[in-house]
């Protein structure tokens, strides 16, 4: 038998390693450059406001007083609302698709959910502004305001006029946008849990609910948390949909009915009008804050998953 | 009539059992207690494919019954009927009767969660849950008993001791169950299963995924467990069946070809097929 010369393979192997390594390095370099660029381009604002930028909620282009607090607050709260709605719902839908519904139903619904994830965010924004907001203002908000507005403490969240747009609307639209993602990943995690693990849980005399929240969910917790954090990342930075429905006000209000602004919506709205260097630099600094927030949240996620692994030895 | 029914004379069946419904429980001539589990005319289907044909077998209480046979002959399928775990899959169907203490497990009066507490199962691969060693053993206790934290601790220790694992894990109860070695994980699963005080333990090739030393430990464990539990074990390993079981059933192509005392099966089988199998001529 004639033997093949193996030298070309070895060369290819070396090249392949080189290509993969350099692609990975490029990603790191791009991230670093972004950070440097954003910091450099926000230097005027950093010099002028210092740490105060983080804690001031004034945003006044006329007097050139800038503070990020209102935008940070809006970003965090709208994202929290989105997660509070989308995480439990995503997990429940995934559970239904994997454990309960007929395989044909699962397949069709599963595909529909993946399609939802592919809808561009501008569509969500337009739908939110023209369809969801009027409906919300006419039916849901009056209900919330009338029924919860007078309760001590939490009533503060539900006061004001039913305008349709505002913090809560932005949170709900965001939740719809990240729901398909969380559902799809959680479903895949549930599917990957070995049948024999579920069987041994059922075999102990557990109900479907017990199997799911005590075993299946824990088994795949790494994947589910990963999905939630990617959803979180998307919600944090989501621009178009939020800009349409959040109301774009720089006032911090306790009520979720009131208009607000997020970092991304402020950037989208105000770059065009930012003529003064200090205005531009303040916006750049907002961008820098968003980048750092996303970065630290991902690190937190890693630490959390690592801790979980130590205490329960998750499977996936 | 199956081989089993021919083996045992009906004369020795106590009167109370003879009255029992349509299906006459089969009985061992030398035992004075009724069978723990009695299977009558069991057929099993995976969709259209019939995997078990007319299985009849009696499982003696506080004994080890081994199920042997070539791979794919239906051993696991048979075992998975006893705790109705196959019902998780919509295309799987069982026909016939399985009596646990004389009561049909398919009867509508049976609470499936209670049945699965009474009939515990150990799988081929160790399946520790993603939680600590302690929580693994406490898992079933919390499902089935309303007991205090301190009682749970006592029960967990008791189960781990009975599973011959206590000394090895007592200092690492809060470590994840998955951090144990394969053999330890399997004994952890045994501890988890016996913590809820079942009556029957089903084991599906419990030692085929672990090393010889760990296997020996499990075998010793099985021997000590039969004081308290009725054990049905599927095994691929004929030496193991000969070593640890009191009765052996030989399965072939979904049928129970021969069922008798282990000694008889391995020294003087009545069926030619059984002899061929135990002498290693196929399988
Ligand atoms: N989930 C399943 N779906 C369809 N057929 C199956 C399934 N599991 C087992 N079978 C079939 O049933 C028969 C018995 O299988 P099994 O009980 O697993 O055998 P054993 O445990 O003796 O090796 C085999 O022919 C196998 O192909
Ligand atoms: Mg098997």
């Amino acid at each position: 038998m004639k033997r093949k010369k193996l030298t070309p393979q070895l060369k290819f192997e070396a090249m392949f390693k080189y290509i993969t390594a350099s692609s990975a390095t490029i990603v790191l370099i791009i991230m670093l450059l972004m950070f440097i660029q954003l910091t450099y381009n926000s230097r005027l604002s950093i010099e002028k406001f210092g740490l105060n930028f983080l804690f001031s909620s004034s945003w006044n282009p006329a007097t050139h007083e800038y503070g990020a607090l209102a935008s940070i607050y809006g970003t965090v709260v709208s994202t929290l609302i989105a997660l509070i709605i989308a995480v439990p719902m995503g997990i429940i839908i995934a559970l239904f698709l994997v454990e309960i519904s007929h395989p044909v139903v699962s397949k069709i619904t599963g595909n529909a959910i993946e399609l939802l994830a592919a809808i561009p965010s501008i569509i969500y924004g337009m739908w939110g502004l023209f369809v969801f907001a009027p409906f919300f203002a006419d039916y849901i908000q009056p209900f919330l305001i009338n029924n919860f507005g007078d309760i001590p403490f939490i009533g503060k969240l539900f006061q004001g006029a039913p305008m349709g747009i505002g913090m809560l609307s932005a949170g709900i639209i965001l939740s719809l946008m990240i729901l398909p993602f969380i559902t799809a990943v959680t479903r895949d995690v549930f599917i990957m849990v070995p049948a024999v693990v579920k069987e041994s849980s059922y075999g102990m005399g557990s109900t479907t609910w017990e199997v799911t929240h005590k075993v299946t969910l824990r088994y795949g917790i790494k994947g589910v948390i990963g999905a939630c954090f990617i959803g979180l990342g998307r919600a944090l930075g989501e621009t178009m949909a939020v800009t349409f429905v959040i109301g774009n006000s720089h006032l911090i209000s306790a009520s979720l009915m009131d208009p607000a602004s997020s970092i991304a919506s402020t950037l989208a709205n105000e770059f065009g009008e930012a003529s003064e260097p200090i205005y531009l630099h303040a916006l750049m600094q907002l961008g820098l804050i968003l980048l750092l927030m996303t970065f630290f949240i991902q690190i937190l996620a890693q630490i959390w998953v690592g801790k979980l692994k130590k205490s329960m030895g998750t499977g996936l | 009539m199956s081989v089993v029914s021919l083996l045992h004379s009906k004369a020795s069946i106590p009167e109370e059992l003879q009255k029992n419904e349509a299906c006459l429980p089969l009985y061992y001539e030398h035992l004075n207690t009724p069978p723990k589990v009695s299977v009558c005319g069991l057929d099993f289907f995976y969709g259209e494919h019939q995997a078990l044909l007319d299985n009849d077998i009696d499982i003696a209480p506080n004994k080890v019954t081994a199920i042997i046979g070539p791979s794919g002959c239906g051993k696991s399928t048979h075992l998975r009927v006893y705790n109705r775990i196959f019902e998780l899959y919509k295309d799987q169907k069982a026909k016939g009767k399985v009596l646990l203490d004389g009561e049909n497990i398919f009867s509508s009066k049976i609470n499936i969660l209670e049945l699965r507490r009474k009939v515990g199962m150990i799988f081929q691969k160790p399946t520790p849950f993603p939680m600590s060693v302690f929580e693994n053993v406490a898992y079933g206790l919390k499902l089935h008993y309303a007991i205090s934290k301190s009682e749970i601790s006592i029960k967990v220790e008791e189960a781990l001791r009975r599973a011959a694992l206590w000394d090895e894990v007592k200092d690492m109860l809060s470590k994840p169950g998955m951090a144990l070695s394969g053999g330890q994980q399997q004994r952890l699963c045994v501890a988890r299963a016996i913590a809820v005080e079942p009556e029957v333990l089903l084991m599906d090739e419990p030692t085929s995924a672990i090393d010889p030393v760990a296997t020996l430990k499990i075998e010793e464990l099985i021997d000590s467990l039969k004081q308290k539990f009725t054990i049905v074990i599927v095994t691929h390993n004929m030496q193991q069946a000969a070593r640890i079981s009191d009765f052996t059933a030989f399965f072939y192509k979904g049928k129970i070809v021969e069922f008798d005392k282990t000694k008889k099966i391995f020294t003087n089988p009545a069926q030619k097929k059984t002899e061929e199998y135990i002498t290693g001529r196929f399988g």
Side-chain angles (χ1 to χ4, degrees):
Chain A
M1 230 186 309
K2 194 167 174 277
R3 296 201 48 177
K4 255 171 116 180
K5 268 194 199 146
L6 294 177
T7 0
Q9 270 96 328
L10 280 181
K11 265 191 191 153
F12 178 76
E13 173 86 354
M15 213 165 74
F16 186 67
K17 274 185 190 159
Y18 179 74
I19 291 172
T20 49
S22 47
S23 315
T25 320
I26 286 175
V27 173
L28 279 180
I29 291 175
I30 289 178
M31 271 198 59
L32 198 67
L33 284 180
M34 271 182 172
F35 177 77
I36 293 170
Q37 188 74 20
L38 279 172
T39 313
Y40 178 75
N41 281 322
S42 52
R43 67 190 182 281
L44 291 184
S45 159
I46 293 176
E47 275 163 20
K48 182 164 179 204
F49 306 110
L51 265 186
N52 217 12
F53 189 74
L54 289 178
F55 303 112
S56 155
S57 63
S58 61
W59 188 269
N60 194 341
T63 60
H64 291 306
E65 282 299 320
Y66 299 108
L69 195 61
S71 296
I72 295 177
Y73 177 80
T75 303
V76 170
V77 174
S78 61
T79 300
L80 276 182
I81 294 172
L83 287 176
I84 288 170
I85 298 172
V87 170
M89 238 169 107
I91 292 176
I92 288 170
I93 296 173
L95 169 65
F96 171 77
L97 292 181
V98 176
E99 306 281 347
I100 297 166
S101 78
H102 191 276
V104 176
V105 178
S106 304
K107 186 130 185 70
I108 296 171
T109 320
N111 285 339
I113 286 170
E114 265 151 38
L115 275 178
L116 265 185
I119 296 179
S121 61
I122 182 97
I123 307 288
Y124 277 99
M126 283 164 51
W127 179 81
L129 184 62
F130 296 117
V131 181
F132 175 78
F135 172 81
F136 198 58
D138 288 345
Y139 299 100
I140 314 284
Q141 279 183 323
F143 171 83
L144 291 174
I145 292 166
N146 293 337
N147 288 287
F148 299 108
D150 298 329
I151 301 172
F153 301 113
I154 61 162
K156 291 231 172 4
L157 299 174
F158 302 103
Q159 284 165 356
M163 289 183 290
I165 55 174
M167 188 78 98
L168 188 56
S169 308
I172 292 174
I173 296 290
L174 276 178
S175 78
L176 289 181
M177 294 181 66
I178 63 176
L179 179 67
F181 190 82
I182 293 179
T183 308
V185 177
T186 312
R187 180 199 55 189
D188 291 348
V189 166
F190 283 174
I191 288 174
M192 276 194 300
V193 174
V196 66
V197 173
K198 288 184 208 165
E199 281 178 16
S200 30
S201 179
Y202 278 110
M204 295 293 304
S206 321
T207 59
T208 303
W209 169 243
E210 285 158 350
V211 172
T212 304
H213 86 109
K214 290 190 173 148
V215 177
T216 312
L217 202 51
R218 280 183 175 218
Y219 204 92
I221 193 80
K222 240 167 80 179
V224 175
I225 291 178
C228 294
F229 272 94
I230 295 180
L232 171 63
R234 183 165 181 201
L236 274 183
E238 174 48 43
T239 311
M240 281 332 290
V242 174
T243 309
F244 269 68
V245 294
I246 200 166
N248 303 307
S249 143
H250 284 289
L251 294 176
I252 296 181
S253 159
S255 175
L256 301 180
M257 305 293 156
D258 284 341
S261 64
S262 75
I263 295 180
S265 73
T266 305
L267 293 180
N269 267 320
E270 302 186 21
F271 252 113
E273 38 195 85
S275 43
E276 305 284 318
I278 182 74
Y279 195 2
L280 209 55
H281 280 229
L283 288 173
M284 282 286 185
Q285 198 179 351
L286 274 183
L288 179 64
I289 290 171
L290 188 57
L291 182 74
L292 290 176
M293 273 168 79
T294 324
F295 185 70
F296 282 112
I297 281 170
Q298 293 308 329
I299 289 180
L300 264 180
Q302 297 296 327
I303 294 175
W304 188 15
V305 166
K307 269 198 179 150
L308 280 175
K309 201 170 166 60
K310 248 194 201 148
S311 69
M312 28 193 246
T314 53
L316 297 173
Chain B
M1 265 301 204
S2 75
V3 184
V4 191
S5 16
L6 294 173
L7 268 172
H8 308 295
S9 75
K10 280 179 195 152
S12 61
I13 299 170
E15 242 180 318
E16 37 166 342
L17 279 176
Q18 286 193 22
K19 274 185 253 148
N20 196 326
E21 299 192 9
C23 175
L24 195 61
L26 306 162
Y27 198 51
Y28 310 103
E29 50 225 292
H30 65 290
L31 286 174
N32 297 318
T33 46
K36 186 74 191 169
V37 182
S38 192
V39 178
C40 314
L42 176 67
D43 293 326
F44 193 94
F45 302 86
Y46 289 104
E48 298 290 298
H49 170 65
Q50 181 163 10
L52 296 180
L53 290 102
D54 195 23
N55 288 179
D56 288 340
I57 191 171
D58 286 342
I59 307 295
N62 295 91
K63 300 279 178 207
V64 177
T65 303
I67 296 179
I68 61 170
S71 127
C73 68
K75 306 182 296 292
S76 302
T77 306
H78 182 88
L79 207 63
R80 289 163 63 85
V81 175
Y82 289 22
N83 63 350
R84 288 173 53 184
I85 198 79
F86 70 90
E87 288 179 357
L88 296 177
Y89 305 94
K90 293 185 177 75
D91 65 328
Q92 304 185 11
K93 292 258 152 16
K95 277 190 195 148
K97 278 191 179 174
V98 177
L99 310 181
L100 176 65
D101 288 324
E103 195 173 8
N104 193 352
I105 62 167
F106 294 113
S107 130
S108 57
K109 273 179 280 172
I110 292 283
N111 175 337
I112 184 111
L113 305 180
E114 179 63 10
L115 172 73
R116 288 179 182 155
R117 181 191 67 75
K118 282 193 198 162
V119 184
M121 192 165 213
I122 315 289
F123 296 81
Q124 180 169 355
K125 264 182 66 189
T127 53
F129 295 151
M131 47 188 87
S132 71
V133 171
F134 183 92
E135 285 175 280
N136 259 284
V137 184
Y139 178 84
L141 285 170
K142 288 184 194 160
L143 293 181
H144 293 284
Y145 300 96
I147 54 175
S148 70
K149 274 215 167 100
S150 58
E151 282 173 303
I152 288 181
S153 298
I154 295 171
K155 291 267 177 201
V156 166
E157 178 175 343
E158 195 185 301
L160 283 168
R161 278 189 194 282
R162 253 200 255 143
L165 189 59
W166 176 253
D167 290 331
E168 288 162 63
V169 301
K170 62 171 187 273
D171 299 321
M172 44 189 297
L173 292 175
S174 59
K175 289 260 171 64
M178 289 177 188
L180 303 179
S181 74
Q184 288 175 328
Q185 287 187 14
Q186 195 60 302
R187 277 178 285 147
L188 179 66
C189 294
V190 173
R192 185 174 69 197
I194 63 183
V196 294
E197 310 200 338
E199 296 164 15
V200 181
L201 274 182
L202 310 172
M203 301 186 167
D204 192 352
E205 307 198 26
T207 61
S208 68
I210 57 183
D211 64 84
V213 178
T215 298
L216 206 66
K217 280 197 180 144
I218 300 263
E219 287 183 9
E220 286 168 4
L221 174 60
I222 290 172
D223 205 52
S224 74
L225 288 177
K226 74 179 188 188
Q227 315 282 337
K228 235 186 135 178
F229 309 103
T230 301
I231 295 171
V232 187
I233 178 170
V234 169
T235 173
H236 217 80
N237 176 334
M238 276 178 281
Q239 285 75 32
Q240 184 170 62
R243 272 197 303 270
I244 62 174
S245 70
D246 303 289
F247 298 92
T248 297
F250 170 58
F251 276 60
Y252 187 64
K253 292 192 175 162
K255 291 187 182 144
I256 303 181
V257 173
E258 187 166 357
F259 174 49
D260 213 317
K261 290 182 204 153
T262 298
K263 211 160 148 200
K264 172 109 189 329
I265 294 273
F266 283 98
T267 53
N268 184 21
Q271 300 292 319
K272 191 144 181 298
K273 206 80 210 167
T274 316
E275 189 184 339
E276 283 174 14
Y277 182 70
I278 59 169
T279 52
R281 254 172 281 168
F282 74 97

